[in-house]
């Protein structure tokens, strides 16, 4: 469970992926990020059954049912309330990770999933549509927290040469969550009327597994040293994630980041916007996180069934075709994950957004021409698959990774609040505006998404430097000239310096007045 550290002939340290790093990446993503993808897709298959339940409940209460428009409105609220919950959850991230830590926030937030699963699972037995809606809202809160905290946690525990790989693990599990919901939603499995409460409440299973195992893993060493100043806990955490070897280099890098901070205190969102030293990092977070949702990926999922119908696929076969697109989504995510440390962040972002832009334009032209040229309907299907693949290779996960990489410890929680807020508000905006945009602009509505994709790709090309294999301090220095300011290097007080010596393969403390190890932060 430790990482082997080798010293090359030129003196450089090479770090390898370890069992403990991989386990905590899978575990935190399995019980948190995967639920986001699952909850995005879980309501699609039982939509008609949920509407019938709403109508039957209203009949029992009032003696008469409601019209189709009212049922559609109630179902739309059930679906969209998830995004509202996500928005609310994202706004609490800064407070939670500062108080409870990264791992602690993931552990404590599991209670939300159990409450939501219980409400949705017993809603039909209690005859309460309100329990379904409230349950969706609470799962949204959990997802809003998890989408920011998991990338933050993994980015801080990973060595710099593995930060990209581990940072994309959550996006793969999001794709897996969508894929699992699509499979379980098949009529042969849980896609039947009697199973929809169970289908919605299955979110408690991965969360229970996470709750049983994740507390045994250490908190982020960077959080323990820079924010908690608990040196013993930092060394203990590094022993979990690194090898027997000299960990002094990594501790010194954390100290360098700490010295560059004006204050160890976590700054607020308002202070983040006022800080000129991170102006371009903040603009970058705004552009890439908003662009990720405004790229049209949610609209593509919304329009998938109609496009498949136009391609001549029968209604009975569309559910299996949708599962096929989910499989492509997972494969594309894996491609991005295993290539990011080779090709870097910028190529995946530029290539992904550019390919999505080309495919959005392709959908427009294929929809316009399919009445005249029959094979164009299949071109539109290929463009849908292309947009999904392009999104999952880079834009699906790199913005979360980039949000964590561009900021140092004091600014990072507020940066994730901004990124999470933009992600969820853009998600809700696209879902709300797209039907009206489609009615007014027809096939040309996809050119709007094409423009967004090309614009974000151009911004990444001209503005964002490559952050592969760089420390957080080095990344901040890359932006210093663009921000027209110098990095501040505030020296720590002598009592805060951590001095290590090589002892039994690990760095050993020389200072005697350090804070004792808190077993709860193991």
């Amino acid at each position: 469970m430790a990482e082997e550290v080798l010293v090359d002939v030129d003196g450089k340290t090479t770090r390898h992926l370890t069992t403990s790093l991989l386990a905590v990446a899978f575990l935190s993503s399995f019980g948190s990020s995967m639920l986001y993808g699952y909850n995005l897709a879980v309501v699609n298959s039982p939509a008609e059954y949920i509407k019938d339940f709403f109508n039957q409940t209203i009949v029992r209460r009032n003696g008469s049912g409601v019209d189709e428009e009212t049922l559609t409105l109630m179902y739309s609220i059930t679906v969209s309330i998830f995004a509202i919950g996500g928005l609310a959850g994202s706004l609490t991230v800064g407070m939670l990770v500062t108080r409870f830590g990264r791992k602690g926030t993931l552990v404590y937030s599991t209670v939300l999933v159990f409450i939501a699963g219980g409400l949705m699972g017993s809603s039909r037995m209690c005859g309460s549509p309100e329990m379904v809606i409230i349950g969706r809202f609470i799962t949204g809160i959990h997802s809003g927290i998890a989408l920011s905290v998991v990338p933050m946690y993994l980015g801080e525990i990973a060595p710099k040469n593995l930060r990209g790989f581990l940072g994309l693990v959550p996006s793969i599990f999001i794709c897996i969550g969508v894929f699992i919901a699509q499979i379980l939603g098949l009529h042969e499995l849980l896609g039947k009327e009697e199973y929809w409460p169970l289908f919605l409440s299955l979110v408690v299973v991965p969360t229970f597994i996470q709750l049983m195992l994740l507390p045994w893993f250490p908190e982020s060493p960077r959080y323990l040293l820079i924010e908690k100043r608990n040196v013993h806990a930092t060394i203990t955490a590094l022993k979990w994630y690194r090898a027997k070897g000299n960990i002094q280099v990594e501790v010194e890098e954390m100290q360098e980041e700490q010295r560059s901070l004006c204050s160890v205190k976590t700054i607020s969102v308002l202070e983040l916007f006022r800080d000129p030293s991170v102006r371009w990092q903040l603009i970058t977070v705004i552009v890439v996180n908003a662009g990720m949702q405004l790229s049209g990926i949610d609209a593509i999922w919304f329009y998938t069934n109609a496009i498949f119908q136009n391609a001549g696929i029968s209604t009975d076969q569309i559910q299996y075709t949708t599962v096929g697109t989910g499989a492509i989504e997972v494969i594309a995510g894996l491609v991005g994950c295993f290539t990011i440390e080779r090709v870097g962040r910028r190529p995946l972002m530029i290539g992904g957004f550019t390919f999505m832009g080309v495919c959005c334009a392709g959908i427009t032209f294929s929809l316009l021409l399919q009445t005249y040229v029959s094979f164009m309907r299949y071109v539109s299907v290929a463009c849908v698959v292309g947009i999904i693949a392009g999104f999952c290779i880079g834009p699906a996960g790199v913005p979360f990774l980039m949000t964590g990489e561009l900021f140092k410890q004091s600014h990072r929680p507020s940066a994730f609040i901004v990124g999470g807020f933009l992600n969820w508000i853009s998600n809700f905006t696209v879902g709300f505006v797209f039907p009206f945009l489609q009615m007014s602009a027809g096939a040309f509505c996809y050119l709007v998404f094409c423009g967004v994709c090309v614009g974000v790709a151009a911004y990444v090309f001209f503005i964002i430097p490559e952050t592969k294999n760089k420390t957080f301090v080095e990344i901040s220095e890359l932006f210093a000239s663009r921000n027209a300011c110098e990095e501040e290097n505030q020296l720590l007080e002598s009592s805060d310096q951590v001095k290590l010596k090589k002892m039994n393969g690990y760095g050993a403390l020389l200072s005697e007045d350090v804070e004792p190890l808190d077993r709860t932060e193991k």
Side-chain angles (χ1 to χ4, degrees):
M1 271 187 3
E3 174 190 19
E4 184 180 0
V5 178
L6 305 175
V7 180
D8 299 334
V9 292
D10 58 356
K12 294 183 179 179
T13 300
T14 303
R15 298 182 177 91
H16 300 285
L17 184 64
T18 64
T19 303
S20 55
L21 278 173
L22 194 61
V24 76
F26 278 25
L27 190 59
S28 58
S29 301
F30 175 73
S32 298
S33 302
M34 190 176 73
L35 300 189
Y36 168 70
Y38 185 85
N39 283 300
L40 281 178
V42 72
V43 291
N44 293 334
S45 174
E48 294 304 318
Y49 303 140
I50 294 175
K51 289 180 182 179
D52 289 341
F53 167 65
F54 287 176
N55 191 44
Q56 292 170 9
T57 304
I58 294 172
V59 169
R60 284 198 304 269
R61 291 178 179 178
N62 304 327
S64 60
V66 295
D67 56 29
E68 187 65 27
E69 291 184 358
T70 304
L71 278 179
T72 302
L73 176 62
M74 292 180 65
Y75 177 74
S76 298
I77 293 174
T78 304
V79 174
S80 61
I81 201 72
F82 177 72
I84 302 299
L87 179 61
S90 68
L91 296 177
T92 67
V93 167
M95 175 189 67
L96 293 175
V97 297
T98 301
R99 181 174 180 181
F100 301 113
R102 283 59 168 155
K103 183 202 73 174
T105 298
L106 292 177
V107 172
Y108 289 131
S109 64
T110 56
V111 67
L112 296 172
V113 180
F114 292 114
I115 294 173
L119 288 172
M120 293 186 294
S122 58
S123 58
R124 186 173 61 178
M125 182 175 60
C126 297
S128 175
E130 295 83 1
M131 293 173 67
V132 180
I133 297 174
I134 295 173
R136 287 281 295 173
F137 177 74
I138 296 175
T139 56
I141 295 176
H142 176 265
S143 292
I145 295 171
L147 277 187
S148 294
V149 178
V150 174
M152 188 188 307
Y153 181 38
L154 298 182
E156 291 184 6
I157 68 173
K160 62 183 181 181
N161 63 308
L162 292 175
R163 203 165 55 231
F165 171 79
L166 292 180
L168 288 191
V169 170
S171 67
I172 293 176
F173 273 87
I174 291 173
C175 299
I176 292 174
V178 172
F179 186 48
I180 290 175
Q182 291 170 340
I183 292 178
L184 293 180
L186 294 175
H187 187 72
E188 293 82 354
L189 297 175
L190 297 182
K192 299 178 181 179
E193 182 175 6
E194 60 268 28
Y195 294 142
W196 69 261
L198 173 63
F199 192 19
L200 296 183
S201 63
L202 279 181
V203 291
V204 301
V205 176
T207 303
F208 177 77
I209 295 174
Q210 182 191 70
L211 182 61
M212 291 296 100
L213 299 178
L214 188 59
W216 296 98
F217 287 85
E219 181 57 82
S220 159
R222 191 173 297 271
Y223 167 80
L224 293 172
L225 179 62
I226 298 179
E227 297 188 36
K228 291 298 183 181
R229 298 181 179 238
N230 189 334
V231 182
H232 284 296
T234 303
I235 301 302
T236 302
L238 285 173
K239 288 179 182 179
W240 270 74
Y241 298 125
R242 307 293 182 262
K244 284 191 175 181
N246 189 359
I247 60 175
Q248 182 170 350
V249 174
E250 194 159 357
V251 175
E252 288 176 349
E253 185 268 316
M254 295 181 197
Q255 286 184 282
E256 181 184 359
E257 180 177 347
Q258 189 178 33
R259 286 193 295 268
S260 70
L261 301 176
C262 297
S263 170
V264 179
K265 172 182 173 291
T266 301
I267 70 170
S268 67
V269 173
L270 182 59
E271 291 170 328
L272 178 68
F273 275 91
R274 289 177 174 174
D275 189 349
S277 68
V278 294
R279 180 180 297 114
W280 279 100
Q281 291 98 309
L282 182 59
I283 294 173
T284 297
V285 167
I286 292 172
V287 170
V288 298
N289 280 278
M292 176 174 58
Q293 294 297 337
L294 298 178
S295 64
I297 185 65
D298 293 315
I300 290 300
W301 281 116
F302 176 83
Y303 201 48
T304 297
N305 287 359
I307 293 178
F308 288 162
Q309 287 177 346
N310 291 336
I313 300 175
S314 65
T315 303
D316 294 338
Q317 296 299 316
I318 284 179
Q319 61 174 341
Y320 303 106
T321 308
T322 303
V323 170
T325 62
I328 293 172
E329 191 174 359
V330 174
I331 294 171
L334 289 171
V335 170
C337 185
F338 285 104
T339 59
I340 188 170
E341 294 298 352
R342 291 179 178 272
V343 303
R345 284 71 160 147
R346 293 178 75 251
L348 288 183
M349 288 281 283
I350 295 169
F353 274 113
T354 301
F355 190 65
M356 289 178 70
V358 171
C359 290
C360 283
I363 286 183
T364 298
F365 292 113
S366 62
L367 291 177
L368 292 174
L369 296 176
Q370 70 181 15
T371 55
Y372 306 103
V373 184
S374 59
F375 74 86
M376 278 294 172
R377 60 184 60 185
Y378 302 105
V379 173
S380 64
V381 173
C383 288
V384 169
V385 175
I387 289 174
I388 294 171
F391 178 76
C392 294
I393 286 177
V398 176
F400 295 109
L401 170 64
M402 196 169 286
T403 301
E405 286 188 328
L406 298 186
F407 296 89
K408 290 182 288 187
Q409 197 79 9
S410 60
H411 295 66
R412 195 172 295 126
S414 292
F416 270 102
I417 291 176
V418 174
F421 175 82
L422 288 169
N423 189 297
W424 286 100
I425 199 69
S426 299
N427 183 311
F428 180 78
T429 300
V430 170
F432 183 78
V433 171
F434 177 71
F436 301 100
L437 182 64
Q438 185 182 3
M439 286 189 294
S440 60
F444 292 101
C445 68
Y446 292 98
L447 293 181
V448 176
F449 302 131
C450 174
V452 171
C453 292
V454 173
V456 176
Y459 179 88
V460 175
F461 181 81
F462 289 108
I463 301 297
I464 302 179
E466 181 56 66
T467 59
K468 180 180 69 172
N469 207 27
K470 290 181 172 60
T471 67
F472 295 118
V473 174
E474 290 171 342
I475 294 170
S476 294
E477 290 172 349
L478 291 175
F479 280 90
S481 59
R482 188 176 295 278
N483 290 321
C485 66
E486 295 183 359
E487 288 292 305
E488 299 186 21
N489 290 297
Q490 182 179 4
L491 294 176
L492 292 170
E493 298 293 332
S494 59
S495 62
D496 292 328
Q497 293 287 350
V498 181
K499 297 180 181 179
L500 303 175
K501 67 180 180 180
K502 190 79 172 293
M503 182 175 182
N504 296 329
Y506 292 109
L509 297 175
L510 289 177
S511 176
E512 296 181 357
D513 57 347
V514 293
E515 182 180 351
L517 173 63
D518 183 355
R519 295 296 176 184
T520 62
E521 294 179 325
K522 178 180 172 183

